[in-house]
Amino acid sequence: MASPGVRVLLLLVLVSSAHGDASGINRTRGNRTLTPEEEEDSQQHHNNTKAFPVLSFNFEHVRKPFEISLWILLALLMKLGFHLIPRVSHIVPESCLLIVVGLLVGGVIKALDSDASDTNSSVPVLNTKLFFLYLLPPIILDAGYFLPIRHFTENLGTILMFAVVGTLWNAFFIGGMMYGVCQIEAAQLGDVDLLSCLLFGSIISAVDPVAVLAVFEEIHINELLYILVFGESLLNDAVTVVLYHLFEEFSHAGTVTITDAFLGVICFFVVSLGGVMIGLIYGIVGAFTSRFTLHSRVIEPLFVFLYSYMAYLSAEVFHLSGIMSLIACGVAMRPYVEANISHKSYTTIKYFMKMWSSVSETLIFIFLGVSTVAGPHVWNWTFVIFTVILCLVSRVLGVVGLTFIINKFRIVKLTKKDQFIVAYGGLRGAIAFSLGFLLTDTHMKTMFLTAIITVIFFTVFVQGMTIRPLVELLAVKKKKETKRSINEEIHTQFLDHLLTGIEDVCGHYGHHHWKDKLNRFNKTYVKKCLISGERSTEPQLISFYNKMELRQAMMLVESGSLAVLPSLTSMQNIQPRDTVKQRVIPSISKRREEEIRKMLRSNLQKTRQRLRSYSRHDLMMDPFEEDLSEVKFRKQRVEMGRRMSHYLTVPANRQETQIPHLRKVNFEPEHQVFTYDDGKGDGGSSAPTNPSPPLVIRHLNETNQVNSPGGGNDAEDPHGGEEQPRLARFLSDPGPKEEEEEHLGGAETKG
Amino acid sequence: MGALMSAADHPEHSDLTDRTGFSLEQIGVLRKRFKQLSHNEETLRREHFNEIPDLACNPIRAQIIEAFFDTRNFHQNGERTVQGTVQEISFKDFLVVMSHFRPPSLHMTEEQREHVRREKLRFLFNMHDTDNDGTITLEEYRHVVEELLSRSGALEKETAKCIADAAMLEVASISMGHMEPDEFYEGITFEHFFKLLKGFDIEAKMNIRFLNMATTLCK
């Protein structure tokens, strides 16, 4: 199998590079002492002619980027390797495996270094700056951008309770109890005072989003529980930041006064709300910027990433909560940016975010393993064991107690099973480690770090590994795998309005009322500013429908064969009998052909072989030119899939008249597609610059009627024409149609 | 405010508690609201609903109001013994309609949960099925979608028709599977509707928080 060999290879390379580091350090040190003599030597050598070096070794030059790339490569190869081993990846979550790898690598590096008698080891440790500035933001951005808003806002009260009150309870309980433990004579921990204990408690109490994500992603639990635990892990950052800074200041000062406590509370509000505000500002600015990116589509994803990163950094400047700022930025930006950017940019953003967050997560876990091996440890049995036990106990008590209070206010109560999962899912992770690393006091710091690492290992390994079988055992509801159907979307909206209406009848301003008000405000003012073009007025149901149709059309094309048609009913089964009799000849305008052809082009090779049968009910065609008719056939199928209400059959003569058009385009390379359109499509390219759909449609109608030789039913044409902007938009770029073509041409030629 | 109603004040309230499942306090609050809406009369009429200002900007306002006057919703299981709509409703009817939005209690068996789900879906079904024939036809569904989109500004009817057609097609394919080209799908019956929205988790969604305390009610 590839992976062990690859791993050995990687280890060898890594070892050699690490050895290179160690020897590199020796070399520089050696060089320094030799300099005065070297000067003489070089002067002497200057007189003699030296041979020109054909091949030289200069590793120092590229050392840093080389190391970084090597680490990332190692991380990714590990990730690949795990999935090649079938059994292990089902039982053990990936995070555990990565930590183990980190331990191994750290062990190897340390073994190599121990014989170099080097006091400062060259083992890279997860230092705080690297973690907080480079490794953490991609993960949080990914989480925040794709946060399920609906569930989040519905459960916001619960999440806040868990995040704020729960973390406070954890911190004080653990800190207080640890202080009690430290008072025990036998433990030799007498020098740990209350404030240090509280500081330790505040570090260890926070649930970690990275670890939660890593574990929960794999168990596919239902959305409610996922958002409860994950939301808590995100929002408790503010509490952690405040408590940490508070106790750190106090542990230097030594005493706490009431004013300090009061200032601490104020600080909490400032940190959290300030962070959110900074995020919102950057998000709105980012959304506004994306409104103007019509002419430079290629850099659109960069705006999203940069604005979000700036939001994070700006919040960190003021010691506000960077995580909350990042989340707020992503949440604020997303609906408007997604309406403005092109489909390709959306895909780019999605994949880049997933890629970066995946790499970051992998690196974090590996570095955790390495740092465990590298760092100095002070192992105190009592301290560590009690920390682990207290973490568990306080988590359980906190969750149970809070749920008891929360259930009084919730409509849908949390059951015992839910509580268990929430309590069990409270994993600690790298954030706790990094915060511990920031501590200044050396002796206690190492002891704390050891305890923190033990807790992290315990939660990630034990809880991470056992949560999956427990979820199965308790039969906890899993995530619904199917995508939302159009009926569910209709009813979701219907239910929203219904519940708002009933609340109005009841006479009190509830959750739905405010949500409705916010939506209306959003629609009337905000969307007009931040979304360009006519999409600002598009209602959600329509965009959902369009996306769904596009998805189905593409699925239909990609599947390549008739057998996987999702539904075997067609429009004729639904229409009342009398309208079935009408045989309507649809007008398929050039633009739509062109769009569909683009979709088909990538599959043309595959689909050619797969065409075998077709239903006689739907098509009457003579398959004289296999490829052309195949393309046509696909197109017919896509038409059917798009459920045009008046599309029933296509008579043969219609196709013959269209085939000459097809012939021109079928095998031409990509960038020449537009010549076809320019030559033929007076419908498409000469559409007037008018963003409002009705006028465009009317124009299309006219051209359709001019072009279609078979004539058509006038009443049905608007429908055909109207689908153009929608499909075209979602396939390529949103915006007025003639600009689209230029863009596509530009984008294609740019490559 | 916050005066607790005792059972002695309104003896019929204890009967209502059993029927609808509201607590006495909640019934008291709703009674106050009823009085406020109906200007202290005994029955509510449609024009009283039209006076609620917040309801005016709701796109499905007409259907909500109709739901209150639909006799099918006056019975617990939604079956109609008396057809059609009435012109005015009493407090009892008002309460029964409201009880469809009560959240399910914490400890329920699977059977009870199913019963609650059925009840709530029946309410929705009755809202869509305006001509009381037991099925939602394509026209009725189109009307629903049009109403939903009516407040969104400039909208062509064609898009609404498209969406409704797609939705109907989906129901047909879920319920009937394969159909011959000359078969005709009459409309969505309640069983199909139930099957369609099975995964929708409606018993968790279709709930209103009914207050126990009589806070000052908005107009």
Side-chain angles (χ1 to χ4, degrees), chain A residues 573-605:
Chain A
N573 295 120
I574 297 180
Q575 289 289 338
R577 285 266 157 67
D578 43 3
T579 62
V580 168
K581 298 287 172 42
Q582 273 178 11
R583 291 282 203 86
V584 179
I585 300 165
S587 54
I588 305 162
S589 103
K590 316 302 168 297
R591 281 204 58 84
R592 190 192 337 223
E593 279 183 14
E594 192 264 314
E595 312 291 356
I596 294 174
R597 197 165 304 105
K598 279 213 302 289
M599 280 195 286
L600 296 174
R601 205 176 300 118
S602 56
N603 295 307
L604 206 52
Q605 277 304 322

Side-chain angles (χ1 to χ4, degrees), chain A residues 217-269:
Chain A
E217 287 277 287
E218 298 183 2
I219 60 179
H220 297 299
I221 209 164
N222 66 33
E223 285 110 352
L224 171 65
L225 288 177
Y226 173 79
I227 201 67
L228 280 181
V229 182
F230 186 62
E232 178 196 345
S233 70
L234 288 176
L235 294 185
N236 67 16
D237 180 59
V239 180
T240 312
V241 164
V242 170
L243 279 180
Y244 180 80
H245 286 298
L246 207 65
F247 287 131
E248 179 143 45
E249 291 292 318
F250 291 161
S251 66
H252 290 309
T255 56
V256 189
T257 63
I258 294 292
T259 10
D260 291 329
F262 185 62
L263 282 177
V265 172
I266 304 242
C267 182
F268 166 70
F269 284 107

